[in-house]
Amino acid sequence: MARKMKAAQVQKADGTLEVVEREIPEPGPGQVRIAVEACGVCHSDAITKEGWMPIQYPRVPGHEVVGRIERVGTGVTAWKEGQHVGVGWHGGHCGQCVACRSGDFVTCEKQQICGISYDGGYAEYLVAPQEALARVPEGMSSEDAAPLLCAGVTTYNSLRNMGARPGDLVAVQGIGGLGHLAIQYASKFGYRTAAISRGADKKALAMELGAHEYIDTEKGKPAEALQKLGGARVIMMTASSSSLAGELIGGLGRNGTLLLLGAGSEPIPVSSLSMISKRTRIQGWPSGVPQDSQETMAFSALAGVRSRNEVFPLDRAAEAYERMMSNKARFRVVLKMR
Ligand SMILES: NC(=O)c1ccc[n+]([C@@H]2O[C@H](COP(=O)([O-])OP(=O)(O)OC[C@H]3O[C@@H](n4cnc5c(N)ncnc54)[C@H](OP(=O)(O)O)[C@@H]3O)[C@@H](O)[C@H]2O)c1
Ligand SMILES: [Zn+2]
């Protein structure tokens, strides 16, 4: 008789998260089965829950998955049973399209997304393609590693590619799952780090995480506050508010970049005149490939960057998701399976 596992799945677009019993999946050629130990709950799981992309339901969300390899499929040579690994948003690539042939796997035309293209980590087991795996550094717990597979790699990998130099003013808007890690990375990279949030609530925590400045958007215009500090080299936006993005551009200094991480569909109002005179730009960034995740985890271990997690059992996945969506979580919600 097939062995069973518990999984939290979404039945249909805009459906509820329900814990069900399913057969434990078998890895096919080039795939591995992971016994999941922890999975982070990311705001992007709303894509699966709400059905914002074409998705085949029922679907198990979760793209911050960490566990041990329990079984390898035929043709898997790079991995073996027992290894401590993670799977992030980038859940596999074709290896054959123009992007893959030039080594740019993150823009693969047939990129698979864990928890969207196939069942993700809100479950006791998961099957993933071998190229989607990242090694967890020795001594790092699964709970600590999980949020680094999306919130971590997205902020670390984008920020390290923005061209800012130690001492530059770098602002992080939104202190949630991504933002609280971004503040730590920015500060460890040696940037003068400004945290931008709504209300005074998170000030003490932001300073504890390494912020040097705190900007409360309810107390005044954040762009003016940034200009008083000399203008930002980078403003990382983790919320998806286009009107706020339009406002924040005014906080950039010369050659500054507004880095968009939170995805929104509304147009951003910008004045080209002010952008031209200061030579500023707006840039988007998708998380990264598994090698970027490995480097994120290694840097986090080295520099002491740690996600602050609220841990829930898999049975309470729906509550855990609501906690993140309602902005009550301080700061990442993580499901623990074993
Ligand atoms: N680019 C990528 O590859 C990538 C990867 C992962 C996630 N994402 C996206 O990044 C975003 C953040 O994800 P997350 O998991 O960090 O979410 P989260 O924990 O909910 O944090 C988002 C933060 O944004 C702020 N915020 C929320 N609504 C806002 C509004 N209307 N106006 C201004 N600020 C607002 C809040 O911070 P304050 O309370 O401090 O104001 C909130 O804590 C999501 O849109 C997610 O889909 C993108
Ligand atoms: Zn994510």
Side-chain angles (χ1 to χ4, degrees):
M1 216 173 64
R3 285 198 299 149
K4 301 275 189 187
M5 67 167 186
K6 273 198 287 187
Q9 70 179 25
V10 183
Q11 202 62 36
K12 57 178 176 34
D14 198 18
T16 50
L17 265 167
E18 283 166 24
V19 177
V20 297
E21 254 202 357
R22 283 184 164 204
E23 279 186 15
I24 296 178
E26 283 304 319
Q31 297 179 328
V32 306
R33 180 166 72 216
I34 298 166
V36 181
E37 292 174 351
C39 183
V41 176
C42 179
H43 206 111
S44 303
D45 292 335
I47 297 171
T48 308
K49 167 86 170 43
E50 310 303 331
W52 293 334
M53 277 166 77
I55 292 174
Q56 258 187 344
Y57 290 96
R59 182 58 81 224
V60 177
H63 56 268
E64 288 187 342
V65 200
V66 179
R68 298 258 165 202
I69 298 180
E70 207 217 28
R71 184 157 196 178
V72 298
T74 55
V76 174
T77 49
W79 302 99
K80 53 180 193 288
E81 287 168 18
Q83 283 180 316
H84 197 198
V85 294
V87 182
W89 173 265
H90 184 98
H93 43 261
C94 73
Q96 284 161 33
C97 68
V98 174
C100 284
R101 289 205 310 276
S102 55
D104 186 13
F105 302 116
V106 85
T107 57
C108 167
E109 288 163 17
K110 294 185 184 155
Q111 187 195 152
Q112 298 191 71
I113 303 168
C114 182
I116 290 181
S117 320
Y118 55 85
D119 286 326
Y122 288 21
E124 290 174 315
Y125 295 89
L126 151 124
V127 162
Q130 59 179 340
E131 76 272 14
L133 271 51
R135 185 91 76 102
V136 177
E138 203 151 319
M140 184 179 276
S141 74
S142 292
E143 268 165 71
D144 278 346
L148 304 180
L149 268 303
C150 178
V153 64
T154 302
T155 51
Y156 171 81
N157 192 37
S158 57
L159 206 48
R160 69 172 171 170
N161 281 296
M162 285 304 111
R165 298 165 75 183
D168 284 352
L169 179 66
V170 169
V172 176
Q173 178 282 323
I175 314 177
L178 267 64
H180 92 290
L181 284 165
I183 291 170
Q184 296 178 66
Y185 291 128
S187 147
K188 296 284 182 188
F189 288 176
Y191 305 145
R192 183 180 181 194
T193 305
I196 305 175
S197 180
R198 298 164 300 168
D201 246 49
K202 298 182 178 172
K203 180 172 180 181
L205 279 162
M207 303 315 260
E208 221 179 279
L209 293 167
H212 305 103
E213 313 286 346
Y214 186 82
I215 297 170
D216 177 351
T217 55
E218 286 170 5
K219 278 226 177 105
K221 293 195 159 61
E224 281 175 14
L226 287 169
Q227 287 304 345
K228 273 195 195 139
L229 298 171
R233 182 71 177 77
V234 178
I235 303 173
M236 174 192 284
M237 270 207 74
T238 73
S240 53
S241 163
S242 299
S243 56
L244 182 58
E247 259 189 69
L248 286 178
I249 292 169
L252 291 173
R254 286 186 316 112
N255 297 315
T257 302
L258 179 70
L259 169 62
L260 303 179
L261 298 183
S265 51
E266 293 297 313
I268 297 173
V270 292
S271 143
S272 50
L273 188 64
S274 72
M275 288 189 73
I276 291 167
S277 56
K278 283 195 178 159
R279 205 164 52 190
T280 58
R281 66 189 144 231
I282 302 177
Q283 171 151 23
W285 195 278
S287 56
V289 294
Q291 183 60 30
D292 296 313
S293 297
Q294 249 176 239
E295 287 165 17
T296 302
M297 289 189 277
F299 179 85
S300 304
L302 181 77
V305 171
R306 236 179 132 185
S307 175
R308 298 203 177 183
N309 299 335
E310 294 184 9
V311 180
F312 285 73
L314 177 61
D315 283 330
R316 288 166 60 198
E319 191 189 330
Y321 174 83
E322 281 316 316
R323 176 102 186 136
M324 178 276 304
M325 287 303 277
S326 63
N327 202 30
K328 289 194 184 116
R330 294 291 178 274
F331 289 95
R332 200 50 152 185
V333 173
V334 173
L335 298 174
K336 196 166 182 233
M337 320 306 163
R338 4 179 94 77

